[in-house]
Amino acid sequence: MGARTRDGEHGVIGLGTRIERIVALGAHCDDIAIGAGGTLLTLCAANPGVRVDALVLSGGGTEREAEERAALAAFCPGADVEVTVLKLPDGRFPAHWEEAKNGLEELRRRTEPDLVLSPRTADAHQDHRGLATLVPTVFRTHLQLEYEIAKWDGDLGKPTAYVPLSTELAEEKVRLLQEHYASQRHRPWYDREAFLGLARIRGIECGQRYAEAFDLKKLTLDLTSKG
């Protein structure tokens, strides 16, 4: 099953439709890979040559930008990847709303994505939540999957969409996270058990071994599509 957006429709899914363009959005370097790394690996394997436009709002010009570029290249094998990392101050996004909105609008002008990956609107982190709130004001009629990130806030919810991951794929996601984000390895939540533990729980919820889970607010089904 793939995704296709049409004028005036919100998040249209047609049976057997190929995904050709993906937008991946993060407030910080590593958000996209933590929340949707397995999904990107899955999509890129199923859609060789897919275009992935990634926009991260903070970390530009630092070691984290270099980590992010290398990581997203690894998480999107065989894809045409373009990564933009802005320089908004971490933890201060509400005061930089216009800059964030401008970054999203500039991206929107050069892409018509089949799928948008972004943080959850219900995320407790103000940067994640702020970005998530902006997304539907720019990508108005696109299929938007909101990924989750475990944190001390205890804000994990009840997801409405799942992407199953094989054991091999879940392990590959963790390996790439550990390999590419050296700056985060000291954090108490950044470890194999945390990543695989959440994936295992989400897998149980959808009848699989592992999975990534997403919030999905609107979806239109095109049951007549033949791809």
Side-chain angles (χ1 to χ4, degrees):
M1 178 176 289
R4 177 69 59 193
T5 301
R6 296 177 181 170
D7 291 342
E9 296 178 337
H10 195 295
V12 178
I13 281 187
L15 302 178
T17 304
R18 172 179 166 81
I19 293 180
E20 298 178 350
R21 288 181 173 268
I22 300 168
V23 161
L25 304 171
H28 316 100
C29 297
D30 79 15
D31 285 354
I32 295 169
I34 291 173
T39 298
L40 285 174
L41 287 167
T42 300
L43 286 169
C44 291
N47 300 275
V50 62
R51 170 75 178 196
V52 179
D53 287 287
L55 172 65
V56 181
L57 298 186
S58 67
T62 71
E63 66 171 339
R64 300 215 62 197
E65 178 177 356
E67 288 181 342
E68 186 75 339
R69 292 184 180 281
L72 291 182
F75 274 101
C76 302
D80 177 14
V81 184
E82 181 167 332
V83 180
T84 302
V85 184
L86 304 182
K87 299 181 179 181
L88 275 65
D90 189 352
R92 299 290 187 270
F93 285 6
H96 296 266
W97 186 269
E98 184 174 357
E99 295 169 68
K101 181 72 176 289
N102 288 342
L104 285 172
E105 289 181 339
E106 194 283 326
L107 173 59
R108 176 67 183 92
R109 283 191 288 270
R110 55 187 170 86
T111 187
E112 182 66 57
D114 300 307
L115 173 64
V116 178
L117 300 170
S118 68
R120 297 171 60 235
T121 309
D123 196 299
H125 194 297
Q126 70 273 15
D127 292 352
H128 299 174
R129 186 172 64 251
L131 172 56
T133 302
L134 279 174
V135 173
T137 72
V138 178
F139 294 94
R140 293 180 177 275
T141 61
H142 301 80
L143 177 62
Q144 180 188 356
L145 293 179
E146 297 185 337
Y147 57 74
E148 58 182 354
I149 297 177
K151 62 183 76 66
W152 71 272
D153 305 81
D155 62 355
L156 296 178
K158 185 176 181 180
T160 51
Y162 298 85
V163 175
L165 304 177
S166 66
T167 298
E168 294 75 19
L169 201 58
E171 293 279 3
E172 176 69 358
K173 173 184 175 178
V174 173
R175 185 189 70 78
L176 292 175
L177 286 172
Q178 294 288 5
E179 175 183 344
H180 288 286
Y181 294 105
S183 66
Q184 305 303 299
R185 293 175 191 155
H186 68 284
R187 298 186 181 276
W189 51 266
Y190 198 92
D191 61 33
R192 171 186 169 83
E193 288 181 290
F195 298 136
L196 284 183
L198 179 57
R200 180 70 184 106
I201 290 170
R202 297 317 190 194
I204 291 171
E205 293 174 350
C206 68
Q208 303 291 324
R209 182 64 184 175
Y210 295 105
E212 287 180 339
F214 301 86
D215 286 352
L216 173 59
K217 292 184 173 59
K218 288 187 178 182
L219 175 68
T220 301
L221 295 175
D222 178 2
L223 301 180
T224 66
S225 174
K226 295 179 174 60

